[in-house]
Amino acid sequence: ALLPYVPRVPPAALPGKLTATTFALERPCCVFDRHANASDAVWLAVAFANASAAFRNPPSRAEVPLYEQLPTARSYMTLETAAAAYACSAPNLAILRVGNDTTCGGQGGRDPCNGPLPSPGPYRVKFLVMGCHGPKAETRWSDPILLRRAGSPSTIDPAPMRRSSDVAIIASILASLGAALAAAVLGAVGAEAWASLCRRDSGTFAHRSYRTHHIPPALPQPLPPGCGCGCSPPGLGCFAPRPPGPCPAK
């Protein structure tokens, strides 16, 4: 049976939707329910766009073209999946990824494999329902799918490099400003701490100096005998004997 479904790459933006070796496909949900049973499998046929018309459905699983034959046969089949996985009642992922198995190539070509695509293409794909006795239903071929190409060095835009340089210069300026601000803050904090220590030490020293160096006033001393009025002012003692003289009149 030829089904009206046409495989396609999802139209919405999707990371890795098209790369140099892989592409994404919408998952064909509810497409095979009337044409497949639980024992059937759904395959994806991948062919170079100019070879899709020459592709012939294999009569049995044993004759499925393998991934390693793509360079010569120009087509292969992959993503063997139970038909029940595409039923309306089954929980389905949104997309299928074609070409994402990087371990392909070391199996000696014995098993189907979903290996990286060797060139940008373009490719065409279709889904094929295979039963125990051969093909049962198939979709239409997709429109050509062209993968991304690696750009040549001459087409690299130098603008990102300039933007990176500008970002580096701005980051350097900001780092310098940050260092200057940190130094100013540390200087202010240090000055405040030093002033606080000086105030604390000054008060302590003043209090201590008053306590340790205060000299109480001298008490008056009695006059030596015989000095009479010839003594120095009271409290300082006599410096030299003076001849007795008349005492001042009272």
Side-chain angles (χ1 to χ4, degrees):
L2 180 61
L3 307 178
Y5 180 80
V6 177
R8 67 170 185 168
V9 175
L14 179 70
K17 181 168 66 174
L18 293 172
T19 71
T21 58
T22 67
F23 62 90
L25 282 179
E26 287 184 343
R27 197 175 180 92
C29 299
C30 304
V31 173
F32 313 111
D33 284 8
R34 294 193 303 165
H35 304 276
N37 55 44
S39 62
D40 294 337
V42 176
W43 291 77
L44 180 73
V46 183
F48 284 103
N50 58 0
S52 59
F55 180 85
R56 295 292 178 264
N57 295 334
S60 67
R61 188 187 187 283
E63 299 180 57
V64 166
L66 301 177
Y67 166 75
E68 287 79 5
Q69 300 172 4
L70 177 61
T72 55
R74 311 290 290 170
S75 61
Y76 70 103
M77 290 172 60
T78 186
L79 294 179
E80 181 184 14
T81 307
Y86 297 115
C88 294
S89 59
N92 291 309
L93 298 177
I95 63 169
L96 299 172
R97 178 72 62 180
V98 181
N100 67 338
D101 187 355
T102 58
T103 63
C104 291
Q107 303 170 351
R110 295 185 300 272
D111 297 315
C113 187
N114 185 27
L117 298 168
S119 71
Y123 300 92
R124 279 195 167 118
V125 299
K126 73 174 180 178
F127 290 96
L128 178 65
V129 180
M130 295 276 291
C132 297
H133 303 290
K136 297 177 64 174
E138 64 180 346
T139 67
R140 299 182 182 276
W141 285 100
S142 69
D143 292 330
I145 300 171
L146 184 66
L147 303 186
R148 293 184 180 272
R149 296 175 180 269
S152 63
S154 61
T155 61
I156 295 177
D157 182 12
M161 184 69 69
R162 290 196 298 269
R163 286 194 292 268
S164 299
S165 300
D166 294 341
V167 170
I169 293 173
I170 293 173
S172 176
I173 293 174
L174 291 178
S176 300
L177 291 177
L181 180 60
V185 171
L186 290 176
V189 172
E192 181 64 23
W194 178 257
S196 177
L197 289 175
C198 287
R199 287 194 298 269
R200 188 182 305 117
D201 290 344
S202 298
T204 303
F205 177 75
H207 184 66
R208 186 182 301 117
S209 64
Y210 175 79
R211 191 170 58 246
T212 58
H213 297 284
H214 175 67
I215 302 175
L219 298 177
Q221 299 294 327
L223 296 177
C227 285
C229 296
C231 292
S232 300
L236 297 182
C238 297
F239 292 99
R242 289 186 296 179
C247 289
K250 295 183 179 180

